[in-house]
Amino acid sequence: MWHRVSHSFPVQLLKLHLKKNLALVGIWVLLVLVFSDNFGKVLGIPYLFLDPEYLNSVSWMGFFLMGIGFAVFTMAFHMTTYIMDAAKFQFLATLSRPFIRFCVNNSLIPLVAYLIYIVNVITFQTDNISEDGWGIFRYLIGFFAGNLVMFLLLFGYFAVTNKDFFVMFTDTLDKQLRKVKVSRANVMNRYKDRKLAKGSVTTYLDINLRPTKVREDLARFEGHKLLKVFDQNHLNLVIIEGVLISTILFLGFFRENEFLQFPAAMSVMLILSILTLLVGALTFWLRSWSTFVVIALFVLLNASSKTSWLNRPHSALGMDYKADKASYNLDRLQALLHPDTLKKDKQKTLEILENWRKKFPENHPPKMLLVACSGGGQRAALWTLHVLQQMHLRSKGKFLSHTQLITGASGGVVGAAFFRELFLRAQDDISMDIADPKYLSQISSDNLNPIIFTLMVNDLLIRNQYVQYNGRHYLQDRGFAFENQLNINTGGILDKPLHAYATPEYQAKIPMMPVAPLIVNDGRKLYISPHSMSYMCVSEHSDITLDEKSQAIDFLRFFEKQDAEDLRFISALRMGATFPFITPNIQLPSDPQMEIMDSGLSDNFGVKDALRFVSVFEEWIAQNTSGVVLVTIRDSEKNLEIEKKTPPTIMQKLIIPLKNIYVNWDNVQTINNETMFNYMKSKVDVDFERIEFEYSTKDFLARQGVTDLSGDVKSKELEVQRASLNWRLTTREKRDILESIHSYQNQQSLDRLEGIMLDGPALK
């Protein structure tokens, strides 16, 4: 029994893969780790597979497409391993439909992965989604239906085209193939493989899944004729590989059609399929030279990527990239921070502050609110919008009129910008309810599917499609896909140039809200605002030529000749919310070229910018307000329990240094912000207080504060899984984010805000 099992074709193929094809096996292992929630959890990667969203909803259709993606990748695995290894098993050539039988016996690894995926889908949907058993069953039916459709199409093709030994040698189908030098070389190499084969396979699984003995009279077949069968099959595989890849890339021309914006996980499976198929194609044509050629092509591509044709910038829509580039050097930066310039910009902002002050009675100085919202992808956008809506309700619509400045990073600024635009429109349309839950659904709608799809069909190769904006043409990329989908999700209300906010901000109809991404070149910030803010770039009264490095660059002045004021506002939001590898860094028209990345790296909470603003206008604030209230909206907890350390494994020792940097970046910024706030509070001659909101993953703390919960509580009962750092949220994650407003701390913060607003002066 042991001999029959160990020498069966499925087991021999498994041993061969573990010995020779570890890279392909590694992809399956990685997928299993993702399915089982052991890889990419912080970024929400498992949920893309376990809860696929299509057309802004999780449905059987999303799982149907996932089934197609799984089937394509599975067939890519079968085709590639067949091309690389089938010649080692000469008995296959004597069977009818040899490739189909190879797939049946090569399905051990995919079968295990499929079972793990199905189990985890059921577990996830049962634990996290308010879905009945029939709903989950429909999801699985959709998945298997997608599998079945794709397998029937592909296996139908192979059933017609792949011939066995006896059929093939009744015609001359392969005469042309034999004339090709590369193919003749392949035959000779495979013939050597055949001679080295030990005939270790004694049984194989037939199409009906019954064990069947391998025929013992293989010696009477001529070796080169057996190998011709494999070559003919290999050619058919290469043909269908080309068709699949061409089809996927052709869809890129229609990627803006929402029906073609497949679930992100399906796009990932198709990307893996393309890479796997390319391995098979290269192996077919190049055999032992494939590794050398791949390395040579990579070196050549890497060297040629410096050319202007391959290294084209990821553009900011609205700006003029054909005008003379803005000079980017220390002399120019110093010139832009001339004392007269600082004075002029400060005076313009003082006029804005005076307009804000006029909204309140002269004899009743108001509280000035500053809102600082943290980054954190879509969870931060949803959490920020939800908190702002609740503040609006509790303050009877007064709080944003008291707010003069909004700062922050990444998703937090996206959510705040959406709310600010709603507030602006509501001033002309009193029927608008800016606290309507529909806006929460809009800001939390999927924004990832079009990004990953565009990465697959466009950005992995050469970007060749353009989009027109404001009379100019820009290369499309996955960054534009992000902007376009955000624009669709928010009903198009943010699709306006930067200068469209100049008048509303000047008239104090809405708070000022600079977007402040980080400049990769030198670590400075870039303040993107419809009003120049050079006073935020350097300390007041400092001599920049001697003792101080400027901390930021004013976007409006620096790119004045490149039409900075025409910048698409959504492009500005994207610049501040650039996520590594997902949305590319934007390059701006300067010399040398300025590259922009996520603002969270320098100030993820927006507190530094808010405190700097208070410092610059301290005197005016003291004379015209009754104090400053800094409202911080965090998508993370400020005070966390100290994690217990356990002896690390070798793998953990390799990962921990990088993990410590990532985990503590939030803590380091929080501690620095605490230091700066306490210093500013003691320095300024005004009443300075702070109200904090947190998206907390530990709801038991809220219950403990209300009910004096004590004693031991099971950790499973206390743990609430934190929403992932992503541009796509599951239903459960959305629910947890929204429910976090009911925590004890957040309710106390709303009570404090309500008290401040009700005690303050009424608007004129």
Side-chain angles (χ1 to χ4, degrees):
M1 176 64 71
W2 170 248
H3 179 79
R4 287 201 301 269
V5 172
S6 62
H7 287 77
S8 64
F9 195 23
V11 173
Q12 289 297 311
L13 281 173
L14 177 62
K15 291 171 62 178
L16 179 64
H17 294 331
L18 294 177
K19 178 181 179 181
K20 180 175 176 287
N21 303 322
L22 272 179
L24 296 178
V25 175
I27 296 177
W28 285 108
V29 172
L30 179 62
L31 289 173
V32 167
L33 291 175
V34 170
F35 303 156
S36 56
D37 215 11
N38 290 308
F39 180 85
K41 182 177 179 180
V42 173
L43 300 178
I45 297 176
Y47 312 139
L48 303 180
F49 291 85
L50 304 178
D51 196 41
E53 188 168 320
Y54 178 64
L55 298 179
N56 290 319
S57 66
V58 178
S59 64
W60 75 270
M61 190 61 188
F63 278 92
F64 177 83
L65 293 172
M66 284 299 301
I68 291 177
F70 268 75
V72 171
F73 176 68
T74 303
M75 290 303 297
F77 173 73
H78 288 323
M79 288 188 281
T80 299
T81 52
Y82 184 84
I83 287 174
M84 293 192 299
D85 303 320
K88 295 180 174 64
F89 305 97
Q90 54 192 5
F91 75 92
L92 279 173
T94 66
L95 304 176
S96 63
R97 301 186 179 90
F99 175 69
I100 297 177
R101 283 177 164 78
F102 177 86
C103 293
V104 171
N105 289 270
N106 195 43
S107 295
L108 189 58
I109 293 176
L111 178 62
V112 173
Y114 271 62
L115 291 175
I116 293 174
Y117 176 72
I118 296 303
V119 169
N120 281 277
V121 165
I122 296 173
T123 302
F124 178 85
Q125 297 292 340
T126 303
D127 293 344
N128 297 281
I129 308 299
S130 299
E131 187 69 81
D132 55 19
W134 170 243
I136 298 175
F137 181 71
R138 282 191 296 110
Y139 292 167
L140 297 180
I141 291 297
F143 176 78
F144 289 122
N147 258 253
L148 182 62
V149 168
M150 186 53 60
F151 281 136
L152 286 177
L153 288 175
L154 294 175
F155 280 125
Y157 168 82
F158 291 121
V160 173
T161 59
N162 284 179
K163 300 176 181 293
D164 63 358
F165 180 88
F166 303 101
V167 175
M168 184 171 179
F169 284 95
T170 61
D171 55 35
T172 58
L173 179 68
D174 203 38
K175 285 183 178 179
Q176 295 301 316
L177 182 64
R178 284 186 294 162
K179 295 178 181 179
V180 181
K181 293 182 178 180
V182 174
S183 296
R184 290 208 307 269
N186 283 343
V187 169
M188 295 305 298
N189 282 315
R190 290 184 175 89
Y191 186 65
K192 294 177 182 178
D193 288 341
R194 188 195 70 83
K195 290 195 296 183
L196 294 174
K198 302 296 184 181
S200 57
V201 176
T202 58
T203 59
Y204 65 92
L205 290 178
D206 209 344
I207 295 177
N208 56 13
L209 300 183
R210 291 183 178 179
T212 305
K213 287 186 177 182
V214 173
R215 62 189 306 160
E216 299 178 355
D217 59 345
L218 294 178
R220 70 186 183 90
F221 296 101
E222 295 182 41
H224 71 279
K225 291 185 177 181
L226 287 174
L227 292 172
K228 269 189 61 181
V229 178
F230 290 120
D231 261 353
Q232 182 266 334
N233 290 336
H234 293 170
L235 181 61
N236 284 327
L237 295 182
V238 172
I239 290 173
I240 200 169
E241 287 176 1
V243 172
L244 284 174
I245 294 175
S246 299
T247 301
I248 292 172
L249 297 181
F250 178 73
L251 293 176
F253 292 100
F254 309 96
R255 62 178 177 271
E256 292 186 17
N257 188 316
E258 62 177 358
F259 293 101
L260 291 180
Q261 292 175 358
F262 303 139
M266 178 189 179
S267 296
V268 170
M269 297 299 286
L270 294 179
I271 291 173
L272 294 176
S273 301
I274 291 175
L275 296 177
T276 304
L277 290 171
L278 288 176
V279 170
L282 289 173
T283 302
F284 173 71
W285 294 110
L286 302 174
R287 290 291 290 172
S288 58
W289 284 94
S290 57
T291 301
F292 171 79
V293 171
V294 168
I295 295 175
L297 287 175
F298 176 79
V299 172
L300 179 63
L301 181 63
N302 183 62
S304 60
S305 63
K306 295 181 179 181
T307 63
S308 58
W309 188 60
L310 291 178
N311 193 26
R312 293 178 288 182
H314 296 277
S315 308
L317 272 62
M319 298 190 69
D320 187 357
Y321 280 78
K322 293 184 179 180
D324 293 338
K325 308 299 182 186
S327 298
Y328 184 18
N329 51 55
L330 293 179
D331 290 338
R332 175 92 191 286
L333 297 184
Q334 180 180 335
L336 290 175
L337 294 175
H338 189 277
D340 291 342
T341 301
L342 299 178
K343 183 178 180 180
K344 181 179 179 180
D345 291 350
K346 184 176 179 181
Q347 181 59 40
K348 185 67 173 290
T349 303
L350 285 172
E351 293 176 13
I352 296 175
L353 293 175
E354 290 292 345
N355 291 334
W356 173 81
R357 178 64 181 87
K358 291 176 183 178
K359 296 191 296 183
F360 304 95
E362 294 182 7
N363 56 344
H364 287 87
K367 290 281 189 180
M368 176 184 285
L369 267 62
L370 308 177
V371 176
C373 39
S374 75
Q378 198 167 48
R379 74 182 181 210
L382 177 59
W383 173 238
T384 298
L385 177 60
H386 187 44
V387 171
L388 293 175
Q389 284 186 331
Q390 295 302 309
M391 292 168 65
H392 175 79
L393 292 173
R394 291 290 289 270
S395 66
K396 303 295 190 293
K398 296 172 60 176
F399 99 90
L400 204 60
S401 297
H402 281 258
T403 303
Q404 178 50 41
L405 182 72
I406 298 176
T407 61
S410 190
V413 171
V414 173
F418 186 42
F419 184 79
R420 187 179 73 147
E421 177 63 31
L422 293 173
F423 181 77
L424 176 62
R425 290 172 179 255
Q427 295 179 43
D428 297 324
D429 183 3
I430 59 175
S431 64
M432 277 189 65
D433 178 13
I434 64 176
D436 194 318
K438 72 179 182 181
Y439 300 121
L440 298 174
S441 298
Q442 290 181 4
I443 200 66
S444 61
S445 294
D446 175 74
N447 211 358
L448 190 63
N449 286 353
I451 296 175
I452 304 300
F453 185 70
T454 303
L455 172 66
M456 174 181 66
V457 300
N458 186 70
D459 289 16
L460 286 180
L461 297 174
I462 300 174
R463 292 178 289 140
N464 55 6
Q465 294 188 33
Y466 289 81
V467 59
Q468 184 174 349
Y469 180 81
N470 198 23
R472 297 191 177 106
H473 290 82
Y474 303 88
L475 275 171
Q476 291 193 38
D477 56 19
R478 60 192 184 278
F480 171 75
F482 169 83
E483 294 182 24
N484 189 51
Q485 191 61 42
L486 177 62
N487 190 39
I488 294 172
N489 292 347
T490 54
I493 67 173
L494 292 172
D495 193 5
K496 53 177 61 176
L498 183 65
H499 67 74
Y501 287 108
T503 299
E505 285 190 9
Y506 182 79
Q507 296 174 348
K509 288 185 175 181
I510 54 176
M512 299 175 67
M513 195 186 76
V515 181
L518 185 71
I519 302 173
V520 174
N521 307 58
D522 54 23
R524 292 178 170 91
K525 283 187 175 184
L526 183 69
Y527 283 111
I528 305 174
S529 171
H531 300 283
S532 290
M533 305 178 71
S534 58
Y535 51 80
M536 297 282 284
C537 302
V538 67
S539 300
E540 199 172 10
H541 307 304
S542 68
D543 187 349
I544 191 172
T545 63
L546 296 178
D547 58 7
E548 184 176 350
K549 175 181 178 178
S550 60
Q551 293 97 54
I553 297 175
D554 179 68
F555 172 79
L556 208 59
R557 289 190 181 279
F558 190 88
F559 291 105
E560 181 180 5
K561 294 182 180 179
Q562 290 74 34
D563 293 346
E565 63 178 11
D566 292 330
L567 172 70
R568 189 190 194 195
F569 184 64
I570 297 181
S571 291
L573 294 178
R574 197 244 293 191
M575 278 195 263
T578 301
F579 197 87
F581 304 111
I582 302 300
T583 49
N585 294 347
I586 280 182
Q587 288 86 36
L588 297 177
S590 63
D591 183 23
Q593 191 175 70
M594 183 184 293
E595 186 170 348
I596 305 301
M597 69 179 299
D598 196 296
S599 51
L601 188 62
S602 60
D603 184 12
N604 192 50
F605 302 99
V607 173
K608 293 179 182 177
D609 291 338
L611 296 179
R612 180 182 286 273
F613 186 85
V614 173
S615 177
V616 172
F617 297 100
E618 174 186 353
E619 183 178 346
W620 187 93
I621 292 173
Q623 294 174 358
N624 293 274
T625 73
S626 59
V628 176
V629 180
L630 176 62
V631 179
T632 61
I633 304 175
R634 299 174 54 101
D635 86 321
S636 60
E637 296 166 277
K638 186 167 73 173
N639 293 304
L640 289 168
E641 280 295 334
I642 308 302
E643 182 181 354
K644 292 184 178 180
K645 296 293 184 181
T646 56
T649 63
I650 295 177
M651 183 62 76
Q652 288 174 332
K653 288 180 179 179
L654 296 175
I655 298 175
I656 280 177
L658 295 176
K659 181 181 177 182
N660 286 341
I661 295 174
Y662 169 77
V663 171
N664 282 298
W665 195 255
D666 183 280
N667 294 329
V668 169
Q669 288 198 27
T670 297
I671 292 173
N672 288 338
N673 289 341
E674 289 292 293
T675 302
M676 288 188 295
F677 174 79
N678 291 324
Y679 171 77
M680 186 64 66
K681 185 176 181 179
S682 62
K683 172 183 175 293
V684 297
D685 190 22
V686 294
D687 184 26
F688 202 176
E689 56 184 313
R690 178 174 53 183
I691 297 177
E692 295 181 305
F693 294 91
E694 293 182 0
Y695 163 49
S696 173
T697 59
K698 296 181 178 178
D699 63 347
F700 79 94
L701 291 176
R703 292 188 284 112
Q704 189 174 25
V706 175
T707 63
D708 292 328
L709 180 67
S710 60
D712 294 333
V713 183
K714 294 181 179 179
S715 59
K716 188 175 181 179
E717 296 176 358
L718 303 181
E719 182 179 354
V720 175
Q721 187 169 298
R722 179 172 178 73
S724 55
L725 180 61
N726 207 325
W727 282 109
R728 189 259 169 170
L729 297 170
T730 67
T731 301
R732 196 220 57 142
E733 288 176 324
K734 295 176 186 178
R735 184 180 64 240
D736 289 345
I737 291 171
L738 297 180
E739 289 181 352
S740 186
I741 195 66
H742 301 296
S743 73
Y744 181 65
Q745 175 185 334
N746 291 331
Q747 286 299 307
Q748 277 192 322
S749 296
L750 285 174
D751 291 341
R752 287 182 58 200
L753 176 75
E754 182 179 8
I756 292 173
M757 291 294 97
L758 295 181
D759 292 341
L763 294 170
K764 287 184 179 180

